[in-house]
Amino acid sequence: MTVRAPRPTVAGPEFGPESPFPLRLSGPVIKGFGRGSKELQIPTANIPISGLSVGGCSEIESGVYFGLASLNLPATDTRPKVFPMVMSIGWNPFYRNAVRSVEVHIIHDFAEDFYGVEMRLLVLGWIRPELDYVSKDALIEDIKTDIRVGLESLKRETYKKFESDPYLFEFGDAGVKEENGEKL
Ligand code: ADP
Ligand code: RBF
Ligand code: MG
């Protein structure tokens, strides 16, 4: 049996996000590979890879990140809610994907799917590189650890304060068109 070495319980510097964080990304939730919920029981809301061109220039490195997400749910007549999230960007080495994907697991139980809804992300830190695994269970275990690490990391006041970042509440056409660097 292969046992993964114990992992740190928090990620990111104690005194708050350091460059290039916080990164701001957004996009509509699209269909992914259909594996997250069914195979891993960890649903991931995918957004188009074009959402990665932040401010039109920087490319994000592949890996696992933590941060905050907000959703422009149709039924939300109050301020959009902000949720903790963990995100994977890359090629999913365990599945040898042919396309690079951006997938976000929101740490919240939703009663329904939210395909098509705009999601805004404030990426606050890096957790680890994307890895290959000996088994699906090993991948699931590591993602569960990412969730714990993400939650623990976000508890710190230097990260928690981003819950009120205006970016998470600025839903609307203009912002989205700009963020994605493409005309919709
Ligand atoms: P896909 O391969 O299409 O991305 P998944 O099996 O990964 O499908 O499931 C993702 C979908 O599940 C999301 O697009 C969203 O509509 C829904 N969903 C429900 N709960 C969550 C959650 N906590 N985090 C992310 N997506 C969720
Ligand atoms: N896939 C990998 O192949 N290797 C990884 O290290 C990996 N880490 C992930 C970490 C998180 C927090 C999440 C949400 C997903 C991760 N995935 C990883 C992606 C996973 O394989 C993918 O979500 C499913 O295949 C569904 O598309
Ligand atoms: Mg998914």
Side-chain angles (χ1 to χ4, degrees):
M1 189 171 82
T2 315
V3 179
R4 176 107 147 79
R7 295 179 42 189
T9 52
V10 285
E14 193 187 335
F15 297 108
E18 281 173 11
S19 178
F21 307 108
L23 289 169
R24 295 173 168 88
L25 315 174
S26 73
V29 176
I30 56 168
K31 282 266 172 201
F33 309 101
R35 283 194 302 249
S37 314
K38 281 197 202 83
E39 259 193 66
L40 306 178
Q41 271 139 24
I42 303 167
T44 57
N46 297 46
I47 60 168
I49 199 83
S50 61
L52 276 184
S53 52
V54 191
C57 51
S58 53
E59 260 277 306
I60 303 184
E61 206 183 312
S62 293
V64 179
Y65 298 81
F66 70 92
L68 300 167
S70 64
L71 291 168
N72 196 13
L73 291 168
T76 317
D77 44 9
T78 52
R79 265 190 134 201
K81 245 191 117 180
V82 176
F83 305 98
M85 63 84 176
V86 282
M87 175 178 84
S88 155
I89 296 183
W91 305 87
N92 295 186
F94 181 69
Y95 290 101
R96 299 189 163 62
N97 285 351
V99 290
R100 202 165 178 248
S101 64
V102 186
E103 305 181 43
V104 174
H105 174 67
I106 299 183
I107 309 172
H108 181 79
D109 269 333
F110 291 93
E112 280 170 45
D113 286 351
F114 41 85
Y115 287 107
V117 168
E118 193 200 341
M119 180 164 67
R120 298 211 135 203
L121 304 173
L122 207 54
V123 186
L124 297 177
W126 155 273
I127 300 183
R128 63 174 176 90
E130 275 210 307
L131 301 171
D132 198 354
Y133 291 89
V134 290
S135 66
K136 197 172 70 181
D137 285 346
L139 168 64
I140 294 172
E141 269 318 300
D142 241 10
I143 299 179
K144 286 185 176 162
T145 303
D146 295 327
I147 294 170
R148 284 195 298 272
V149 171
L151 285 174
E152 209 50 44
S153 303
L154 289 165
K155 274 186 193 163
R156 296 167 294 183
E157 204 43 55
T158 47
Y159 288 82
K160 215 176 142 52
K161 67 177 189 200
F162 287 94
E163 284 172 18
S164 56
D165 192 288
Y167 181 77
L168 293 166
F169 305 96
E170 274 165 15
F171 287 104
D173 286 3
V176 180
K177 278 177 196 155
E178 245 179 54
E179 289 300 326
N180 288 340
E182 61 180 1
K183 302 257 183 298
L184 295 174

